[in-house]
Amino acid sequence: MPPETRVLYNSECPICDAEICHYARYTEKRDLPVRYDALNSDARESWGIDPDTAARRLHVLHDGQLYDGIPAFRILWAQMPRYRMLAWLTGLPLLRPLATVTYDHVLAPWLYRRHLKRMARA
């Protein structure tokens, strides 16, 4: 059996939660070795990542190595047959930098700002 992949995600973000819940249903249905930890659960402490850092981007632990951002998504996608092509595409020399810049400078900061606003209202 391949090594377990662990995913740390922001379950309080509606977008993140919907996406990760989709992946969780997919991996569970196929009995794939992927575990999902919400950053607001006790499981986050075992990651050694503070809540603010965890809320800023997706984190994946695979084969003893911690990944974040697009590399984390690529590791997660590579574990799921339906998404392996996406992992491969986002690893191509021309697409990897574009995907990384888009996630690092547009998507992740936007989701994080929305997270901070939700937390301020709560």
Side-chain angles (χ1 to χ4, degrees), residues 76-96:
L76 177 59
W77 293 333
Q79 308 310 303
M80 301 180 284
R82 178 185 292 168
Y83 294 95
R84 285 190 184 130
M85 180 65 80
L86 187 56
W88 178 79
L89 283 171
T90 56
L92 291 173
L94 293 176
L95 290 181
R96 181 184 293 201

Side-chain angles (χ1 to χ4, degrees), residues 33-101:
V34 181
R35 188 173 87 203
Y36 301 89
D37 298 329
L39 73 86
N40 303 325
S41 71
D42 293 338
R44 186 208 37 87
E45 290 181 21
S46 70
W47 285 75
I49 300 174
D50 67 90
D52 188 64
T53 300
R56 290 177 182 269
R57 55 201 308 108
L58 181 76
H59 292 81
V60 168
L61 183 62
H62 178 75
D63 210 14
Q65 186 165 348
L66 182 63
Y67 301 87
D68 66 4
I70 288 297
F73 275 104
R74 293 189 64 242
I75 291 293
L76 177 59
W77 293 333
Q79 308 310 303
M80 301 180 284
R82 178 185 292 168
Y83 294 95
R84 285 190 184 130
M85 180 65 80
L86 187 56
W88 178 79
L89 283 171
T90 56
L92 291 173
L94 293 176
L95 290 181
R96 181 184 293 201
L98 179 61
T100 299
V101 166

Side-chain angles (χ1 to χ4, degrees), residues 7-24 36 39 54-58 73 76 103 107-108 110-112 114-115 118:
V7 178
L8 181 64
Y9 72 102
N10 186 353
S11 62
E12 291 186 359
C13 168
I15 295 169
C16 305
D17 190 56
E19 182 173 6
I20 298 301
C21 284
H22 168 75
Y23 296 150
Y36 301 89
L39 73 86
R56 290 177 182 269
R57 55 201 308 108
L58 181 76
F73 275 104
L76 177 59
Y103 183 82
L107 298 174
W110 177 72
L111 288 169
Y112 179 66
R114 291 188 64 190
H115 169 71
R118 271 191 311 279

